[in-house]
Amino acid sequence: MIATLERKPLGQLLLAKGVIQQEQLDRALEEQKRSGHQKLLGEVLVELHLCTEDQITESLAQAYSVPYARVSPKIADPKVIQVLPKEFLEKHQTLPLYLVAGVLTVAVSEPANVFLLEEIERISGYQVQVVAATGRDIKSTLQAYLPNDKVFVIDDIIEEVQPEEFSLIEQPVQDIVNLEAAAGDSPVIKLVNYIVYTAVKEGASDIHVEPGDSSLRIRYRVDGCLTEKLRPPHQMHAAVASRIKIMAGLDISERRLPQDGGIHVLMDKRPIDLRVSTMPGKYGEKVVIRVIDNDKASVNLEKLGFGYDTLKAWRKLINYPNGIVLVTGPTGSGKSTTLYASLQELNRGDVNICTVEDPIEYALNGVNQFQVNEKAGFTFATALRALLRQDPDILMVGEIRDADTAKLATQAALTGHLVLSTLHTNDATAAITRLYNIGIEPYLVGATVVGVMAQRLVRKLCQNCKESYAPSVNEKRQIERITGTVDTLYKARGCQQCRNLGYNGRIGIYELIVPDDALIECISQGATLNDLRDKAKKQGMTTLRSDGIEKVKAGITTMEEIYRVTA
């Protein structure tokens, strides 16, 4: 039986062997105390370069009378490694080496852990013999033989995608080429279902299927950032792409032109819409799937991240009887979510709400929604012109893209309708000048635009693992220049709950302009962008960055996130 570690502390072992000196041990213990004892003494010693991991492991091996070994993929038996489950090996940094005459030789980095050895004997059913090895060597050997989490192994996919949880609303497709048969094979169907299922479960907004020269990469966009999920065999790419195209009702024989389609699936007994886009590339078709979860459309304005004053002003705007209210920002900044949440609040039995969208992202009960069809000539302008004869109270135009749409929106606002729409501009004041550039007369812009809101989405700190810290002099100076004093900030750390990212979910930061008489006068005279910005700030506009820094001070996000989206 191995002696317990309490009887021979690591520091005393290293001192006895002459590996470190007393002052070095005192320094390491002080550093360990400063970290709140979140690190082992051995980790601290290695980080401070006072000794090596090999010296620590060799000292422990000698103290507990077990052999010390330098393990590598060359001396490990791949078949013996499979004696213990992959999850157990990775969790405990344990490496089975040999199995001879019913005795299993195992390399461990903590030879004093008697409970671990007993667990290995129980799981494997063999008598265990221990050798000590560094965690570094064990990890590199395991990586050589165990499949990486991002490398697709068909047998490793658990049958968690049950038919009652995930099912495709099939559309009939004619047999075209032999590729369709490959796309219908069970492993391919299983893989595609798994990709979509886990993407929805993890809250991904997009799925990227990206072929390379000799690789196939599957990435998810979660909270605005792309992360790699799987690496299936490259040979599966054509079948996977064809399977997705069959589901979306696309032509699988056409691989030279871009295609767009949609998939409707049921997951956990609720509908999920998937927008599919294919693009021919150097190494094959890249496929991007936009995940549209109708559950996300039910969010209300309070949960979007508005400050109290901003939310109060926004609610007043969307209850105006007429005028144009604009939401601006780049793609993926949450503009549609804000508009849908606003429409849900306005949706009453005595109001006729009509929308023109491209595409319709979420279905809203009680709202008349119309899908643009450019090929058929049903454009934003055409739809808006027709809707003005449909007795609407509130109009939502997905995007003002051209002069015709802008002029019709202006006409609708002047004739007593409230028009909600979006523009792609960097800030709120730039939306005004964009309307000038599109071709709307400044006096009409001043007469119809009652409010403009710019927004961005920033990642929220994981509330389970975020760490507080005292801001640096530079951080304090930046914050105090905008919003006043600050003593404590928070940073991302990472835990199992947030997938070790340190962030979980996203929240909006906002910049709202509600023109007063002085600003309306400037707009009507065709003022420059800089003049409009100066006037808006004098009026008291809260900028995107200042709103973001308020959320930093509240411990919701970080300075890095604010500068990332407002640079």
Side-chain angles (χ1 to χ4, degrees):
M1 180 66 69
I2 294 174
T4 59
L5 189 59
E6 287 77 12
R7 193 161 58 86
K8 294 183 178 180
L10 175 61
Q12 299 304 316
L13 291 174
L14 296 173
L15 282 175
K17 283 180 63 66
V19 176
I20 60 173
Q21 303 300 318
Q22 183 63 51
E23 58 269 22
Q24 293 175 316
L25 176 59
D26 293 340
R27 178 186 168 193
L29 290 171
E30 181 62 29
E31 181 64 27
Q32 184 187 33
K33 181 180 179 182
R34 190 178 296 116
S35 71
H37 293 276
Q38 294 183 359
K39 297 180 180 179
L40 297 174
L41 178 60
E43 294 175 325
V44 176
L45 287 166
V46 173
E47 286 181 2
L48 295 176
H49 303 291
L50 299 177
C51 64
T52 65
E53 190 177 351
D54 297 89
Q55 290 174 317
I56 292 172
T57 306
E58 193 171 357
S59 299
L60 288 172
Q62 184 177 343
Y64 299 109
S65 303
V66 300
Y68 168 70
R70 292 296 302 270
V71 299
S72 69
K74 294 181 180 179
I75 67 171
D77 187 339
K79 295 181 180 179
V80 175
I81 290 178
Q82 299 175 10
V83 167
L84 295 174
K86 172 189 171 186
E87 294 76 14
F88 182 90
L89 298 177
E90 292 177 330
K91 179 179 179 181
H92 298 287
Q93 289 295 289
T94 302
L95 176 65
L97 294 172
Y98 316 111
L99 180 58
V100 180
V103 178
L104 179 65
T105 301
V106 180
V108 298
S109 58
E110 297 182 33
N113 192 339
V114 179
F115 301 107
L116 174 60
L117 306 183
E118 291 176 349
E119 186 70 4
I120 293 173
E121 288 185 342
R122 184 186 67 79
I123 294 175
S124 67
Y126 297 110
Q127 181 182 346
V128 173
Q129 175 180 292
V130 172
V131 299
T134 64
R136 179 195 65 243
D137 288 345
I138 291 173
K139 184 177 180 180
S140 62
T141 305
L142 287 174
Q143 288 176 340
Y145 287 113
L146 293 179
N148 189 295
D149 286 341
K150 294 176 182 177
V151 177
F152 173 72
V153 179
I154 200 73
D155 293 335
D156 285 348
I157 290 188
I158 303 171
E159 292 287 351
E160 59 180 333
V161 189
Q162 302 298 329
E164 63 272 12
E165 294 178 324
F166 181 95
S167 59
L168 170 68
I169 302 174
E170 293 280 4
Q171 296 180 357
V173 179
Q174 296 179 347
D175 291 340
I176 301 174
V177 291
N178 291 336
L179 196 55
E180 185 172 358
D185 284 347
S186 177
V188 176
I189 294 174
K190 185 178 180 183
L191 172 59
V192 173
N193 286 359
Y194 175 81
I195 290 170
V196 175
Y197 181 85
T198 53
V200 175
K201 283 291 186 184
E202 294 184 13
S205 61
D206 299 271
I207 304 167
H208 291 244
V209 181
E210 302 170 318
D213 184 14
S214 58
S215 63
L216 175 60
R217 181 172 63 172
I218 310 296
R219 294 194 292 173
Y220 294 168
R221 187 177 295 279
V222 181
D223 293 338
C225 295
L226 278 173
T227 56
E228 189 173 318
K229 181 67 178 178
L230 295 170
R231 275 193 180 268
H234 180 257
Q235 297 84 346
M236 294 186 72
H237 167 254
V240 168
S242 295
R243 173 61 186 168
I244 295 171
K245 288 164 76 173
I246 288 171
M247 294 168 71
L250 303 179
D251 183 358
I252 67 171
S253 66
E254 179 55 77
R255 296 189 290 274
R256 298 169 300 173
L257 294 173
Q259 295 188 70
D260 295 299
I263 305 173
H264 308 287
V265 300
L266 293 175
M267 183 169 160
D268 296 333
K269 298 182 180 179
R270 75 177 194 273
I272 305 290
D273 289 333
L274 308 173
R275 292 212 313 265
V276 178
S277 172
T278 68
M279 175 74 74
K282 182 177 181 181
Y283 300 110
E285 287 181 291
K286 177 182 177 181
V287 181
V288 176
I289 303 173
R290 168 64 61 89
V291 180
I292 300 174
D293 189 346
N294 281 289
D295 275 7
K296 295 180 181 178
S298 61
V299 66
N300 55 41
L301 288 172
E302 284 86 354
K303 295 181 179 179
L304 296 181
F306 287 105
Y308 175 80
D309 292 335
T310 304
L311 179 58
K312 184 178 178 181
W314 179 253
R315 279 196 162 126
K316 184 178 179 180
L317 277 179
I318 62 176
N319 280 284
Y320 276 16
N322 54 65
I324 297 176
V325 179
L326 296 172
V327 182
T328 77
T331 301
S333 59
K335 301 186 298 295
S336 296
T337 302
T338 298
L339 287 179
Y340 278 117
S342 301
L343 290 180
Q344 283 189 326
E345 189 158 305
L346 296 171
N347 191 10
R348 303 185 305 271
D350 60 343
V351 176
N352 178 19
I353 301 176
C354 298
T355 74
V356 185
E357 305 172 61
D358 183 23
I360 296 173
E361 294 196 11
Y362 302 109
L364 298 177
N365 290 328
V367 175
N368 302 292
Q369 296 174 271
F370 303 93
Q371 167 82 47
V372 167
N373 187 338
E374 298 277 356
K375 293 180 180 178
F378 189 58
T379 63
F380 277 112
T382 304
L384 191 52
R385 189 176 288 108
L387 278 180
L388 290 175
R389 297 190 290 270
Q390 291 278 318
D391 186 31
D393 297 299
I394 299 171
L395 292 166
M396 194 271 271
V397 182
E399 182 184 350
I400 294 178
R401 297 177 179 174
D402 51 46
D404 285 344
T405 307
K407 288 175 182 176
L408 285 166
T410 303
Q411 179 185 338
L414 288 171
T415 54
H417 303 88
L418 179 66
V419 180
L420 307 179
S421 191
T422 69
L423 277 175
H424 286 95
T425 61
N426 289 328
D427 59 20
T429 48
I432 302 297
T433 55
R434 176 64 55 82
L435 290 176
Y436 297 164
N437 297 335
I438 285 176
I440 306 301
E441 294 293 337
Y443 74 90
L444 287 176
V445 177
T448 56
V449 175
V450 295
V452 183
M453 183 168 68
Q455 67 176 77
R456 299 288 190 280
L457 290 177
V458 294
R459 292 183 294 172
K460 294 192 296 183
L461 280 166
C462 174
Q463 299 302 303
N464 184 57
C465 66
K466 68 178 184 181
E467 289 183 342
S468 62
Y469 72 97
S472 66
V473 174
N474 185 41
E475 286 176 322
K476 290 189 75 168
R477 187 185 303 117
Q478 292 178 49
I479 292 173
E480 289 172 359
R481 189 170 63 242
I482 298 175
T483 63
T485 59
V486 61
D487 297 318
T488 304
L489 294 179
Y490 294 85
K491 61 183 178 181
R493 179 184 173 190
C495 65
Q496 188 174 5
Q497 189 170 317
C498 62
R499 303 180 299 280
N500 290 317
L501 297 174
Y503 297 93
N504 197 353
R506 289 190 291 177
I507 194 170
I509 58 174
Y510 302 94
E511 175 180 291
L512 178 62
I513 296 176
V514 181
D516 60 8
D517 291 342
L519 188 53
I520 290 173
E521 183 66 24
C522 283
I523 294 171
S524 300
Q525 293 175 1
T528 64
L529 180 58
N530 287 333
D531 288 341
L532 290 173
R533 280 196 184 126
D534 291 340
K535 282 285 185 182
K537 288 178 181 178
K538 288 178 182 178
Q539 183 185 317
M541 176 188 72
T542 300
T543 64
L544 283 167
R545 182 163 290 182
S546 59
D547 186 44
I549 288 178
E550 288 292 347
K551 291 178 171 65
V552 171
K553 291 173 65 176
I556 296 172
T557 187
T558 61
M559 289 293 292
E560 292 81 5
E561 276 295 290
I562 300 305
Y563 282 110
R564 179 178 68 86
V565 302
T566 63

